[in-house]
Amino acid sequence: MTDRLSDNNRFERIEQKSIPSMVIQNVLDWNIAHGVDTVPGLNKRVLDGSFPELVREGDAKYHADVTRAAEEIIAHRDRVRIVIIAGPSSSGKTTTTIKLNERLKQEGMSIVPINLDNYFFNLEMHPKDEFGDYDFETPEALDLKLINEHLAALIDNRTVQVPRYNFKTGKRETATDPLRLEKNQILLIDSLHGLYEKMTSSVPRRMKFRLYIETLTQLKDTEGNWIRWTDTRLLRRMVRDSWHRSYDPVRTIGHWHYVRKSEMRHIVPFITSVDFVLNGSLPFELPIHKKFMFPYFAKAIEEYRDNPKRQDAFVRAKRVQKMLGEIEVMEDDSCVPETSLLREFIGGSTYRY
C-alpha cells in the first residue's frame, strides 16, 4: 500500500510538470490579485460578505478562457473536423463542452456532440480490478473498435448508428440513434479518455483539436502547502455521485484510487500533446463543497482506518478532512448562477446533463 501511495504522489508531480508553467502562473496570478491564493484569504471573502462578488469574478474568468479556446478552433475551422475535450474525472468537461458549443454557434459553426458513454460494453464484458469490481474508469471498458469505425465514417460524411447504453441495466439497448456529420459541422467529443490515442486513432491528427481541462487549484493551506488538484475533483465527484447517481460519498472516496490509476495510465502521459489547456477550477467552490461533504470524511476515516487494502482512501480522507476543516463554510449557494460550471456538480443548473 505504501508503494501505491508513493506512485500517486509521483504521478501528481508528473501531472503538474506536464501543464505549461505559464498556464499555472496565470491562475496563481489571478488568485493573488483577488486575495484567494491562501485559505485565510478565501475565508476572508466568505466572512466579509464579498463572496458573491468572488463568484461573479471567478465565473467571468472561466468564461473568458472558454472564449479563447473557441477562438483557437475558429482560426482552424478549415481543417478541424473533431474537437476533443478531455480531462480527468470531474474536471468540468461536460459544462465546458456545452459552453464551447454556445460560443461556436455564435460564429455560425454547427456542432454535433457524440456521447461516448453510449459505447460502454455490456456490464458482464467490463474489465475488473484486483478486487473483482467492475472498472468503469479504463478506456478498455469502451468499444474502441466501434468508436473508431464510427469516427472514420462520420468524417467521411457517412451515417452511423450510435448505440444507447442503459446505466440502470448495464446493457446496450436494441434501439440506436442515427448520426451524420455534414461538411460544415464539427464533431464534439467530451470524454475522460479523449487523449488516449486508441480512442481516435482512425482520425488524422490534423483534423483533431485537443483541449485539456484540469482543476488547476492554486491555493495554499494554513501551513503553506498547495491543495491538490485531485482533491478538488474528488469533492466534485462525491457531490455529483450522491445527487445524480444515489452513490454513497464514502464509497466514492474508496473508489477514487481506481479513478486516479486510470488517469495516470491514460491521461497524464498525453497532456503534452494537447492544443489548449483550460483551467476548470473555480476559486469559490471549496466553501460550498464543505457544506455538502464535510461530515462524510469522518465516516470514511473510520471505515477505512483498519483496512489494509484501503489505506489510500484512509490517507486521502484524512488529508481532505483537514483541508476542509480550515475553510469557512458557505451555507447559501444562491449566489452561484444556474449556468455556472459548479452547478454541474452541486445541482440546480439550467443545462441538461
Side-chain angles (χ1 to χ4, degrees):
M1 187 55 61
T2 300
D3 290 343
R4 177 185 289 169
L5 295 175
S6 299
D7 284 345
N8 283 341
N9 293 335
R10 178 170 61 87
F11 271 95
E12 284 172 3
R13 290 193 295 271
I14 294 173
E15 184 177 29
Q16 293 178 10
K17 290 180 179 179
S18 300
I19 303 293
S21 59
M22 63 180 299
V23 174
I24 298 176
Q25 187 64 48
N26 178 267
V27 179
L28 178 58
D29 289 345
W30 191 96
N31 285 4
I32 292 173
H34 293 79
V36 290
D37 57 307
T38 66
V39 166
L42 177 59
N43 287 342
K44 183 176 183 295
R45 298 296 299 257
V46 175
L47 296 172
D48 68 8
S50 65
F51 190 81
E53 181 182 356
L54 175 64
V55 172
R56 291 192 294 272
E57 295 165 343
D59 265 351
K61 177 65 169 67
Y62 164 72
H63 285 112
D65 290 344
V66 173
T67 297
R68 286 197 304 113
E71 290 170 351
E72 288 286 328
I73 296 170
I74 293 166
H76 300 95
R77 63 191 299 175
D78 60 325
R79 62 174 173 80
V80 173
R81 299 299 308 278
I82 295 180
V83 172
I84 300 169
I85 298 184
S89 177
S90 302
S91 55
K93 296 182 298 298
T94 305
T95 298
T96 298
T97 299
I98 293 171
K99 291 184 179 293
L100 193 67
N101 191 351
E102 291 176 342
R103 180 66 186 89
L104 293 178
K105 281 184 176 180
Q106 295 174 2
E107 300 297 322
M109 300 175 69
S110 179
I111 307 300
V112 179
I114 184 169
N115 184 357
L116 296 188
D117 283 353
N118 283 314
Y119 289 84
F120 271 118
F121 285 116
N122 289 346
L123 194 59
E124 66 269 15
M125 298 177 63
H126 267 48
K128 292 185 178 181
D129 61 22
E130 65 268 32
F131 302 114
D133 295 329
Y134 291 111
D135 188 354
F136 287 91
E137 309 301 337
T138 173
E140 304 304 328
L142 294 163
D143 191 339
L144 300 179
K145 182 176 182 293
L146 182 61
I147 289 173
N148 274 285
E149 289 175 359
H150 282 187
L151 294 182
L154 286 167
I155 65 173
D156 194 37
N157 305 120
R158 288 180 280 140
T159 300
V160 301
Q161 296 295 325
V162 177
R164 293 183 189 176
Y165 190 82
N166 188 322
F167 281 92
K168 291 183 179 180
T169 63
K171 296 179 181 294
R172 289 184 192 171
E173 298 179 349
T174 55
T176 60
D177 296 297
L179 180 63
R180 180 181 175 87
L181 189 65
E182 303 297 342
K183 243 183 182 180
N184 64 333
Q185 294 179 324
I186 296 177
L187 191 69
L188 209 55
I189 296 177
D190 160 17
S191 173
L192 174 68
H193 301 295
L195 302 183
Y196 185 55
E197 183 58 33
K198 292 182 180 179
M199 181 73 71
T200 60
S201 59
S202 63
V203 180
R205 176 66 181 90
R206 65 182 301 274
M207 293 185 176
K208 295 182 281 192
F209 181 89
R210 299 182 179 186
L211 183 150
Y212 179 74
I213 181 170
E214 170 62 282
T215 52
L216 307 177
T217 307
Q218 293 298 290
L219 180 70
K220 287 186 176 182
D221 63 19
T222 57
E223 296 177 356
N225 300 313
W226 293 107
I227 289 173
R228 301 193 186 193
W229 302 347
T230 183
D231 291 345
T232 299
R233 295 190 288 102
L234 170 63
L235 286 164
R236 288 179 171 185
R237 176 82 170 246
M238 289 170 67
V239 177
R240 185 181 65 189
D241 282 356
S242 64
W243 281 43
H244 302 295
R245 301 177 183 177
S246 300
Y247 198 71
D248 183 356
V250 174
R251 301 280 78 73
T252 301
I253 298 173
H255 178 87
W256 194 247
H257 78 275
Y258 304 147
V259 177
R260 287 301 287 158
K261 181 173 67 176
S262 181
E263 293 169 358
M264 292 169 190
R265 290 179 177 176
H266 306 300
I267 298 179
V268 172
F270 308 110
I271 295 175
T272 55
S273 70
V274 303
D275 302 294
F276 193 95
V277 176
L278 191 145
N279 176 30
S281 70
L282 297 167
F284 54 84
E285 63 183 289
L286 292 178
I288 295 175
H289 288 318
K290 180 174 182 176
K291 173 181 69 169
F292 294 113
M293 292 292 112
F294 189 54
Y296 290 101
F297 287 93
K299 298 177 182 178
I301 290 170
E302 184 63 27
E303 178 162 340
Y304 298 129
R305 183 190 306 275
D306 298 320
N307 187 335
K309 293 184 177 181
R310 301 295 191 187
Q311 284 303 291
D312 57 337
F314 170 67
V315 171
R316 197 181 305 275
K318 283 186 65 178
R319 183 178 68 240
V320 180
Q321 183 194 49
K322 180 179 181 297
M323 179 263 287
L324 287 180
E326 298 177 351
I327 292 176
E328 292 290 334
V329 66
M330 188 65 189
E331 296 287 355
D332 182 7
D333 61 36
S334 62
C335 60
V336 179
E338 295 177 344
T339 56
S340 174
L341 168 65
L342 188 58
R343 292 290 177 190
E344 177 180 337
F345 306 99
I346 67 171
S349 177
T350 56
Y351 299 128
R352 296 183 61 185
Y353 297 110

